[in-house]
Amino acid sequence: MSTTVKAMLLQMIMRIKEIFSFKLGIAYICLTLLIFGCLSPVSVTMDSETDTQNRVSSNNVTDSIGTEHLTETGGIDTSDTGDTSDTADTSDTNDTGDTSDTADTSDTGDTSDTADTSDTADTSDTNNCVLDNVKNCGACANNCEEMVELWPEFHNTLPANMAEATCIRGTCAVQSCRGGYTDNPASPHKDCDLFVKQMAAGEFHICYLLSNDTVYCVGRNNKLQLGCSEFKSEFSPGFKQVSELSNVSMIKSTPAGQHTCAIVDEGKVKCWGDNMFGQLGVGPGSLPASSTPVLVSDIEQAIDLAIGAASVCALLSDKKVKCWGDNTFFQLGFSTSDSTYSHTPGEAEKVLNAKKIFASDASYCVIHEDNTASCWGRNHTGQLGPSCDENQSMDPILLGLPDTIEHMGMSGGQACAALTNKDVYCWGYNRYGQIGMNPDASGYDYKWFNKLPSITGVTQISLSQWHTCILQDSDGSNLSCWGVNSTGQLGAPPDHDFEYLPVKNHDLSNVDTVITGAHFTCVLVKGDHIPKCWGSNEYGQLGNGNFGSDYRVNASPLPVEGLF
């Protein structure tokens, strides 16, 4: 072809590009080249169109993976957790098949100019259920490892070892030292010495007091007991920090209720969660529940707390006790003749010289300065001991155990005490062997003291309505539990609905602290700042990112994820 002809052909091509759209221009160019024999038909490709289609296809695959993941991990009804309708809304992707304008890919994540695909994981409208792996891990059973696999493009913005990340309060972070984390700049704390000071188990939730005096809760939030008003649902999408708490020295909850209280500012008390009977210290008519801790009036110098199902008692530095909340069974220690509750704290006048206080659903006990114990309130299962023949008592009843008391615990309708002579006795409700007796021999209610033959040297006792756990002063496996085991809360496979003989948990050694919720158990092991939990995780209360009926039975201790 002559130089003149080639020049004319080039001018023709430039003119066509100015007049026609890009695709049509390319078509004319290729047709012209074919006519002149300058281009083989097999080499003609629409690179621009192919690239656009590839990008659209890639985005559709990402959306599909995210939706499929939500379906697999969100098998339970999450309608209460917030509107997640947008998470499966792919109506905007209908436009992605329109490639008439190859420069318009706004509906596919706007990838026309750059390779930045960060918008493809934009989950701002999904209410924490289709997640990116930076801001909202922990919800919908997603963990950081899965998030990195689904959205590998985040490797560009996160630490190189993010594949080893764990979910820390809703943020994926790399734990670089025991009890702390430093590698993620988005992390709310940079303290490598952060650890759990105290744990408090509710019916289906747990709160943790950390060494920096912050409180985080996880689990069910139907009564705002997590201290979080962002959602009100059957489960939590991860740990939530309780606001407006400072100088916290103690937290307490109850396996029978949905409220938690804290001692703050050297003796004042704040409570949050359910307020049906004024247990937060304000009238239930004006505030049926609160996610914000409520300062309880007229409480100063509190040194200990005990939480009933719908009431609270505070032990003060003068060794007296003040109580508030439900008083149906005179568990407040004073009469409220015109009502079955009092949201204003009143003094249990006949409770004197107390140094430790405990609560069951609707009764309280104190250990006195002389290491004897007295109890008052409800007595329907004999929980006030053999000296009381009434169903309830406003006055404290001396237990009359054979020796002085070193440790004690109570919940539901039963109680246990470890004596100075190392013996352990339990009494009260025993339908499922909670007091260590065969129910066929004792009956369901047992007001007499049952001595546990194989348990000595007890350092801690923790009870729920359904099971009992104790720690012994020994090396190695020092945790034993008995009672209901339908969810594996005893730390053993649920071969039977309950066990009245102690079950030794051989998977754990040197346990320092144990707490019991309604159907779960948690511990802190000496030298390890990471709590371990087992039992029911139906509401995500075990804090390992799982929840739902598929996780109702967990017999093996699992480390809590997302707290550190």
Side-chain angles (χ1 to χ4, degrees), residues 223-365:
K223 297 294 184 180
L224 306 179
Q225 58 264 50
L226 301 188
C228 173
S229 60
E230 294 176 6
F231 58 92
K232 184 178 179 181
S233 67
E234 290 301 294
F235 60 90
S236 72
F239 283 90
K240 296 295 179 182
Q241 183 176 3
V242 182
S243 63
E244 299 187 23
L245 289 177
S246 61
N247 300 319
V248 182
S249 59
M250 176 182 290
I251 57 172
K252 286 290 185 72
S253 192
T254 170
Q258 293 85 39
H259 62 294
T260 302
C261 294
I263 296 179
V264 300
D265 300 327
E266 299 181 352
K268 296 180 180 180
V269 174
K270 285 187 173 183
C271 302
W272 63 96
D274 187 21
N275 193 44
M276 182 177 293
F277 290 91
Q279 59 263 49
L280 301 189
V282 295
S286 60
L287 189 69
S290 177
S291 62
T292 302
V294 177
L295 180 65
V296 181
S297 63
D298 199 28
I299 296 293
E300 302 285 345
Q301 302 302 316
I303 60 173
D304 196 10
L305 295 172
I307 314 295
S311 60
V312 182
C313 284
L315 173 61
L316 308 181
S317 60
D318 61 3
K319 301 179 179 57
K320 295 181 180 180
V321 172
K322 284 188 175 182
C323 304
W324 61 97
D326 181 24
N327 200 33
T328 303
F329 303 100
F330 298 108
Q331 61 264 47
L332 301 187
F334 59 87
S335 176
T336 50
S337 57
D338 58 342
S339 176
T340 58
Y341 71 89
S342 173
H343 67 267
T344 302
E347 184 177 338
E349 295 182 356
K350 294 187 178 182
V351 180
L352 303 173
N353 297 319
K355 69 174 186 179
K356 194 70 178 174
I357 189 166
F358 308 88
S360 66
D361 291 7
S363 53
Y364 289 87
C365 293

Side-chain angles (χ1 to χ4, degrees), residues 465-532:
Q465 311 96 303
W466 311 114
H467 71 298
T468 303
C469 291
I470 58 97
L471 295 181
Q472 293 174 271
D473 185 14
S474 62
D475 295 331
S477 301
N478 63 333
L479 173 68
S480 297
C481 302
W482 58 91
V484 174
N485 194 41
S486 58
T487 65
Q489 60 261 56
L490 302 186
D495 298 328
H496 305 284
D497 289 339
F498 67 90
E499 302 282 352
Y500 67 89
L501 296 177
V503 175
K504 181 76 73 172
N505 194 317
H506 294 285
D507 292 334
L508 293 169
S509 298
N510 299 316
V511 176
D512 184 66
T513 305
V514 59
I515 60 170
T516 50
H519 299 285
F520 60 90
T521 306
C522 293
V523 299
L524 281 173
V525 175
K526 295 176 183 178
D528 189 352
H529 294 160
I530 308 298
K532 293 180 174 63

Side-chain angles (χ1 to χ4, degrees), residues 295-466:
L295 180 65
V296 181
S297 63
D298 199 28
I299 296 293
E300 302 285 345
Q301 302 302 316
I303 60 173
D304 196 10
L305 295 172
I307 314 295
S311 60
V312 182
C313 284
L315 173 61
L316 308 181
S317 60
D318 61 3
K319 301 179 179 57
K320 295 181 180 180
V321 172
K322 284 188 175 182
C323 304
W324 61 97
D326 181 24
N327 200 33
T328 303
F329 303 100
F330 298 108
Q331 61 264 47
L332 301 187
F334 59 87
S335 176
T336 50
S337 57
D338 58 342
S339 176
T340 58
Y341 71 89
S342 173
H343 67 267
T344 302
E347 184 177 338
E349 295 182 356
K350 294 187 178 182
V351 180
L352 303 173
N353 297 319
K355 69 174 186 179
K356 194 70 178 174
I357 189 166
F358 308 88
S360 66
D361 291 7
S363 53
Y364 289 87
C365 293
V366 295
I367 297 177
H368 299 285
E369 285 292 317
D370 62 359
N371 292 322
T372 61
S374 297
C375 304
W376 68 96
R378 195 176 189 187
N379 191 44
H380 65 304
T381 60
Q383 61 264 53
L384 301 189
S387 300
C388 184
D389 294 324
E390 304 297 328
N391 288 330
Q392 60 193 33
S393 175
M394 184 172 66
D395 296 334
I397 305 295
L398 187 67
L399 283 178
L401 286 158
D403 202 350
T404 54
I405 300 172
E406 289 191 349
H407 305 283
M408 191 172 178
M410 61 189 305
S411 184
Q414 68 273 8
C416 293
L419 308 186
T420 305
N421 63 10
K422 306 302 181 183
D423 291 338
V424 179
Y425 289 86
C426 296
W427 62 96
Y429 187 55
N430 193 50
R431 181 173 183 177
Y432 302 103
Q434 296 100 309
I435 67 171
M437 290 184 69
N438 187 339
D440 294 336
S442 68
Y444 291 170
D445 304 330
Y446 193 80
K447 63 184 290 185
W448 311 103
F449 300 130
N450 173 48
K451 181 180 177 181
L452 303 181
S454 60
I455 301 294
T456 61
V458 169
T459 60
Q460 187 187 344
I461 304 171
S462 182
L463 289 80
S464 77
Q465 311 96 303
W466 311 114

